[in-house]
């Protein structure tokens, strides 16, 4: 399971850790409560202790933040290179090698 946790740190999921997308729900006062996305243990994984599941979910959530950061950087980088026109495309190709 350690290798699955390490992959989850990088935002990669599989059979053991899964992405839970962001969602909204109504709270008791009639307002809307935001639930951020995360990476968590699959519900059908049998572990001995509830505390162990809790800690693994806390650790795996770091991977979701990393994944969101990586997606943001990719989008911003694409915008910068596309605003430079053909010179930006050449620079992007050069940097990605």
């Amino acid at each position: 399971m350690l290798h699955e946790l390490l992959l989850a740190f990088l935002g990669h999921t599989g059979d053991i850790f899964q992405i839970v997308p962001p969602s909204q729900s109504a709270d008791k006062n009639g307002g809307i409560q935001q639930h951020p996305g995360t990476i968590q243990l699959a519900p059908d994984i049998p572990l001995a202790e509830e505390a162990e599941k809790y800690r693994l979910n806390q650790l795996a959530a770091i991977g979701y933040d990393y994944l969101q950061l990586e997606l943001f950087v990719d989008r911003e980088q694409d915008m910068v290179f596309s605003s430079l026109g053909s010179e930006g495309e050449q620079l992007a190709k050069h940097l990605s090698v």
Side-chain angles (χ1 to χ4, degrees), residues 10-93:
L10 296 174
H12 299 283
T13 57
D15 295 332
I16 296 179
F17 290 98
Q18 299 174 346
I19 290 182
V20 177
S23 62
Q24 296 178 350
S25 66
D27 63 10
K28 292 183 260 185
N29 300 326
I32 295 176
Q33 185 176 7
Q34 301 282 340
H35 302 284
T38 189
I39 295 178
Q40 290 184 346
L41 277 170
D44 58 343
I45 300 298
L47 290 175
E49 298 289 327
E50 196 62 35
E52 186 178 11
K53 289 182 183 181
Y54 177 77
R55 289 292 178 210
L56 287 170
N57 283 336
Q58 280 188 318
L59 290 170
I62 295 168
Y64 186 83
D65 295 337
Y66 176 80
L67 179 62
Q68 295 303 308
L69 181 62
E70 188 174 43
L71 292 172
F72 171 78
V73 168
D74 288 344
R75 279 193 310 265
E76 292 299 310
Q77 198 172 35
D78 289 344
M79 282 186 3
V80 168
F81 288 136
S82 65
S83 69
L84 295 175
S86 63
E87 294 168 354
E89 290 176 15
Q90 291 173 355
L91 180 60
K93 288 179 185 175

